[in-house]
Amino acid sequence: MITFPGHTLEQFFNTYTITNFTVAADESRILFSTNLNGKMNIWSMDGQGGYPSLFTQTEQDCSALKEDPEKRFVIGGFDHDGDENHHLYAMPYQGGKKQKLVEGEESDKFFFSQLNKHGNRMYYSTSQGNPSFLTGYRLDLESGEKTHLYDGEGGATTIAAVSPDEKWIVTQKLLANTYIKAELIHTDTGEKRDLSGNPEDVHVIGDAVFADDSTLYLLTNEQSEYDYVVKYDLATGERQPFFSLDKESVQHIHWHNEFNSLFATTEKGVEDSLYRVHTDGSHQKLDCPVKAIDQVSIAKSGNIYVLGTSATDPKNLYVHKDSTWTKLTRNQVPGVTESEMVDPDVVTYESYDGKQIEALWFEAKEENNNGHVIFWPHGGPQASERKTFRAMFQVILQEGYSIFAPNFRGSTGYGATFTKLVEGDWGEGPRLDCVAGIEWLFETGKCDRDRLFLMGGSYGGYMALLLHGRHTDYFRAVIDIFGVSNLFTFINSVPDHWKPVMARWVGDPEKDKDRLEKDSPITYLSTMTRPMLVIQGTNDPRVVKEESDQIVEALQKQGTDVDYMVLKDEGHGFSKKANEIRVYKEILGFLAKHRA
């Protein structure tokens, strides 16, 4: 009988990502951004599924995608090789070459907000002329006339929603990830109204959506640990709580005129859920085919389109029609079933001060298990490790390494107070949560003390560097993927529209000098003695290349064994499949070289 070899790593490399999508008004097609052919491009697919065709070749990340309701064009936002300076373009409705909508310098950023219902006016914000706080505009796509709507002040200010009659816009002002104010601004008179109950209390105003010209629904966590929906009457100014759940945050909302209902996605710990909420506040939880929801679109017919993922299923598009979910794309690991991959266990351990920390434990299957564990602090830091598909994780698990991913203090999904704990404390509380998680691995017998690796990206890369410097003896070797090495240089090098939040988020270089020095990995160079692999994108605007350059140079000078991999056409991540494969292979080779 024919026998076949076991799974190869290349099989896992053959998955792709989908970042966003737009559905035609008549549901005849779906456009989506994906690296299906190796680089990020826009692809078109029949509304009922089937094999996609290339719509526009951009080879760049897409931040926004929207079809004209009158079928004349498509709008998209694209950057250049990961620099996150997204510009706005129009593409022919049938596909083809993109055309810039708003001229600007390469360093300018443009944030798409909304097309009006006729598709002839576009709302957006931009760093052009106001790099730290942004400015809002309305562009008439027929005449080319641009109308100034506001100048942001005090924090990066974007447009969250536009009323159907276009008389009002909702703006959000970012003062911190946990402090976002919102205002109503009249597009003709400039009248402004605060949408917060008390704007000076630290809170978040999230998604906003108009049900009609006088009714607005918005998300907030005012006086609450978790985000809930508020109903706002534009005529009276009355605000009233509308929809909330116990220990579950509403993340996004969508209004459906025909059903006279609100659709809401929620987050609770490591999983998402989907709800339909009626105008009386009653609700029903809808079955959902994924554990993590990236995007939802509700068609006029009531069909629900979802982009999402689970730990053992890559990102895919789904439609809910006639009470049934159908998978529209077939993004999967070829030749590998979901049962052959690892779905994590959700575990909890006690940290140094008694706080309960939730974590994901991915245990390599018995037939593959080589006894080593990778400790993975997530990025953000105000994010969390969730039940999402990571090709990198499944490749590593197939090679026999188990993975432990804690949601330390500062993570989202566990209430506003928990998320705020990392603000002004990047390197103490979260680090000690990680140390407690490491000791838990040893105490429960999940890992031998001489078989632990450390790997993280972004904030996780920062934490990997800091743990390496302060707790060297725990680890066999360390992998840092675009991690912050020096908090002082990091604060000064972030994008301009981030700078207003840095004092609250990280610290003030003068007032908090001692703490920032204590929490900077570069302070502990002399104890970073384990072998290291550092990975960095040249165009990274968040954690600039100099962050990795300076620590690699210093470590090499003191004799630490450091491999340095620089990707010249990437930013804060890996959008090009060839680069992603190079990175995975480098990581696997490094792990194999340094395991027991």
Side-chain angles (χ1 to χ4, degrees):
M1 201 63 180
I2 299 173
T3 59
F4 297 95
H7 300 315
T8 65
L9 304 183
E10 282 70 17
Q11 289 172 264
F12 293 87
F13 297 153
N14 285 324
T15 58
Y16 52 91
T17 190
I18 302 173
T19 56
N20 50 40
F21 71 95
T22 182
V23 182
D26 61 3
E27 300 178 73
S28 60
R29 75 173 183 190
I30 304 170
L31 299 180
F32 56 101
S33 175
T34 175
N35 63 352
L36 178 62
N37 65 345
K39 296 183 179 181
M40 297 301 298
N41 290 296
I42 308 302
W43 290 69
S44 175
M45 182 176 63
D46 185 87
Q48 302 306 309
Y51 193 81
S53 60
L54 186 62
F55 178 80
T56 298
Q57 185 159 334
T58 63
E59 300 189 352
Q60 304 297 341
D61 282 336
C62 176
S63 61
L65 197 59
K66 184 66 178 177
E67 283 216 11
D68 168 35
E70 303 295 330
K71 295 190 173 184
R72 295 164 296 186
F73 55 84
V74 175
I75 287 176
F78 303 98
D79 74 348
H80 180 71
D81 286 348
D83 65 6
E84 298 186 19
N85 296 329
H86 289 88
H87 286 233
L88 298 176
Y89 295 83
M91 294 160 279
Y93 192 78
Q94 298 306 320
K97 191 174 181 179
K98 68 185 190 298
Q99 174 179 315
K100 189 170 284 190
L101 280 173
V102 186
E103 291 299 325
E105 300 295 326
E106 288 185 8
S107 59
D108 291 332
K109 304 175 191 294
F110 295 84
F111 304 89
F112 173 80
S113 174
Q114 192 168 317
L115 268 182
N116 71 345
K117 61 185 177 182
H118 302 297
N120 61 347
R121 284 189 290 273
M122 179 183 76
Y123 290 79
Y124 69 96
S125 53
T126 177
S127 66
Q128 205 171 37
N130 192 7
S132 293
F133 306 131
L134 311 184
T135 299
Y137 291 98
R138 177 178 62 213
L139 177 66
D140 189 306
L141 296 174
E142 294 173 344
S143 68
E145 181 183 359
K146 190 167 66 172
T147 302
H148 174 269
L149 299 175
Y150 67 86
D151 288 313
E153 297 178 358
T157 304
T158 54
I159 301 171
V162 182
S163 64
D165 61 9
E166 299 181 71
K167 291 183 178 179
W168 294 95
I169 60 172
V170 176
T171 62
Q172 293 174 315
K173 180 185 294 186
L174 178 69
L175 301 173
N177 291 332
T178 56
Y179 190 11
I180 303 175
K181 294 182 179 181
E183 286 184 324
L184 271 173
I185 301 178
H186 198 282
T187 56
D188 291 331
T189 66
E191 176 194 346
K192 295 183 179 181
R193 301 185 195 173
D194 278 320
L195 285 171
S196 307
N198 185 347
E200 302 313 310
D201 285 346
V202 176
H203 66 283
V204 167
I205 300 286
D207 261 10
V209 60
F210 286 90
D212 52 47
D213 292 331
S214 61
T215 307
L216 173 69
Y217 293 95
L218 54 91
L219 300 181
T220 184
N221 64 359
E222 293 174 274
Q223 308 300 315
S224 174
E225 284 293 313
Y226 298 90
D227 293 12
Y228 58 95
V229 184
V230 165
K231 183 178 181 180
Y232 180 87
D233 188 311
L234 273 72
T236 65
E238 181 184 3
R239 300 167 80 256
Q240 54 180 338
F242 177 71
F243 171 63
S244 63
L245 295 162
D246 183 43
K247 295 184 178 180
E248 195 166 346
S249 276
V250 184
Q251 294 294 292
H252 299 287
I253 51 177
H254 309 266
W255 177 256
H256 192 269
N257 277 324
E258 286 68 28
F259 284 4
N260 202 33
S261 296
L262 202 66
F263 288 83
T265 59
T266 66
E267 175 188 59
K268 186 175 185 179
V270 298
E271 295 187 8
D272 293 337
S273 297
L274 179 63
Y275 292 85
R276 179 180 173 184
V277 188
H278 305 281
T279 51
D280 62 0
S282 62
H283 64 273
Q284 61 189 105
K285 186 174 182 178
L286 304 177
D287 178 40
C288 193
V290 296
K291 298 297 185 184
I293 300 171
D294 283 16
Q295 185 182 341
V296 173
S297 179
I298 316 296
K300 188 175 182 179
S301 65
N303 292 338
I304 306 171
Y305 293 83
V306 166
L307 171 63
T309 179
S310 300
T312 58
D313 190 20
K315 285 190 181 183
N316 277 288
L317 287 163
Y318 301 80
V319 63
H320 185 265
K321 181 180 181 181
D322 300 327
S323 303
T324 301
W325 285 102
T326 301
K327 183 184 280 190
L328 297 173
T329 50
R330 288 290 182 269
N331 186 14
Q332 60 192 29
V333 181
V336 183
T337 64
E338 287 192 46
S339 64
E340 293 176 284
M341 290 184 274
V342 176
D343 196 27
D345 292 328
V346 181
V347 300
T348 303
Y349 65 90
E350 186 174 297
S351 191
Y352 69 99
D353 59 354
K355 282 189 171 53
Q356 296 298 304
I357 305 298
E358 192 169 80
L360 293 181
W361 168 242
F362 298 79
E363 185 170 12
K365 291 188 178 293
E366 185 176 355
E367 63 270 23
N368 298 326
N369 202 322
N370 63 28
H372 293 80
V373 174
I374 294 172
F375 189 86
W376 171 266
H378 64 72
Q382 289 167 316
S384 58
E385 192 59 43
R386 317 191 69 234
K387 287 191 175 182
T388 58
F389 181 83
R390 289 185 183 269
M392 178 177 68
F393 276 20
Q394 295 298 335
V395 166
I396 287 170
L397 288 158
Q398 285 289 316
E399 286 293 285
Y401 304 89
S402 298
I403 301 169
F404 185 73
N407 284 330
F408 41 77
R409 68 193 66 203
S411 300
T412 55
Y414 306 96
T417 298
F418 192 80
T419 302
K420 291 172 186 174
L421 290 175
V422 74
E423 293 177 352
D425 181 24
W426 270 41
E428 184 71 11
R431 174 178 58 82
L432 295 177
D433 288 343
C434 288
V435 170
I438 291 168
E439 288 293 342
W440 180 86
L441 286 171
F442 297 153
E443 290 166 5
T444 56
K446 295 186 182 299
C447 181
D448 293 339
R449 286 186 176 269
D450 64 345
R451 296 202 169 198
L452 184 65
F453 286 98
L454 174 60
M455 177 170 69
S458 193
Y459 177 85
Y462 158 82
M463 185 54 68
L465 291 171
L466 189 62
L467 287 168
H468 184 194
R470 300 198 65 174
H471 306 278
T472 314
D473 292 343
Y474 279 137
F475 311 108
R476 295 195 63 80
V478 178
I479 301 172
D480 158 36
I481 307 170
F482 37 77
V484 175
S485 63
N486 184 327
L487 293 179
F488 293 97
T489 54
F490 172 62
I491 289 169
N492 291 324
S493 64
V494 296
D496 286 337
H497 68 290
W498 284 28
K499 288 180 178 176
V501 311
M502 297 305 286
R504 180 188 291 269
W505 194 34
V506 184
D508 182 283
E510 294 183 4
K511 296 178 182 176
D512 303 311
K513 181 178 181 294
D514 291 345
R515 179 176 57 77
L516 293 175
E517 186 174 287
K518 178 173 68 76
D519 288 346
S520 289
I522 206 162
T523 301
Y524 306 98
L525 278 171
S526 63
T527 50
M528 292 187 187
T529 56
R530 295 295 189 252
M532 286 191 65
L533 169 62
V534 178
I535 301 168
Q536 177 70 47
T538 296
N539 302 319
D540 193 335
R542 304 184 186 196
V543 181
V544 298
K545 182 172 174 287
E546 287 72 20
E547 286 295 313
S548 292
D549 287 348
Q550 62 189 350
I551 199 158
V552 168
E553 181 181 353
L555 288 169
Q556 289 175 337
K557 188 175 293 186
Q558 73 176 21
T560 299
D561 179 7
V562 184
D563 297 330
Y564 191 22
M565 183 180 191
V566 177
L567 302 164
K568 295 182 178 180
D569 55 351
E570 295 285 10
H572 200 68
F574 316 118
S575 63
K576 298 171 178 65
K577 181 56 67 175
N579 289 336
E580 185 183 16
I581 292 171
R582 282 179 57 209
V583 168
Y584 291 173
K585 288 186 173 180
E586 190 77 17
I587 288 172
L588 290 172
F590 179 83
L591 293 172
K593 179 180 178 181
H594 296 291
R595 73 187 191 191

